[in-house]
Amino acid sequence: MSGGLWRRRRAGLLSAGVMLVLLLRSRGVPLLLPGCPLRALTGVPCPTCFLTRSAIASLQGDLGEALELHLFGPPLVLGLGWLGWRQGVRGRPLPALTRQRVGLLLVLLATMLIYWLVRLSQWLWMGVPQPG
């Protein structure tokens, strides 16, 4: 395998590996996954808290549970699957980062930040319990 093809496939294989870990965990295989350091130190969940459990629920086919845990879990699973297929299996590079794609990524990050702030206000000030 040529060096350029290997570099392109490496990121895809990494995303496929993350999907494999999530799939194994969703099937009950005990894996040591790190917890959230911010939540452990402060008790305040970070923007990605409950995202792993949401991804696992997505892989188990429980979309309701996945969306209750974290809105971005199902899109994460789809994105990792797409990356694993595109790069790991087909060996195709990621699309080039254009100004439009950078803008889209910034909108995605802003949406995630707003989502986190809404959830945080619900948990801290409105008495809505955090997911189990």
Side-chain angles (χ1 to χ4, degrees):
M1 189 178 308
S2 70
L5 182 60
W6 172 246
R7 277 192 299 276
R8 285 194 307 263
R9 287 196 172 168
R10 187 173 42 203
L13 293 174
L14 178 64
S15 63
V18 170
M19 283 287 288
L20 178 63
V21 166
L22 289 172
L23 189 61
L24 288 172
R25 185 67 186 98
S26 74
R27 299 294 178 227
V29 176
L31 301 172
L32 295 176
L33 297 175
C36 176
L38 178 67
R39 188 171 177 209
L41 290 173
T42 66
V44 176
C46 75
T48 62
C49 271
F50 310 108
L51 189 57
T52 302
R53 285 191 248 170
S54 176
I56 290 170
S58 298
L59 288 170
Q60 291 173 334
D62 192 350
L63 188 59
E65 176 77 10
L67 292 173
E68 184 179 322
L69 288 166
H70 202 291
L71 187 64
F72 287 80
L76 172 70
V77 170
L78 290 173
L80 287 172
W82 177 78
L83 277 176
W85 174 256
R86 181 179 172 91
Q87 292 182 279
V89 175
R90 298 193 65 206
R92 296 183 64 198
L94 281 175
L97 272 181
T98 62
R99 188 173 259 204
Q100 182 181 12
R101 289 190 179 119
V102 169
L104 185 62
L105 286 174
L106 289 175
V107 167
L108 180 67
L109 287 174
T111 304
M112 191 167 190
L113 180 63
I114 291 167
Y115 174 69
W116 175 62
L117 290 172
V118 167
R119 291 181 73 182
L120 199 57
S121 67
Q122 289 176 335
W123 293 331
L124 296 178
W125 298 295
M126 296 179 192
V128 175
Q130 293 182 19

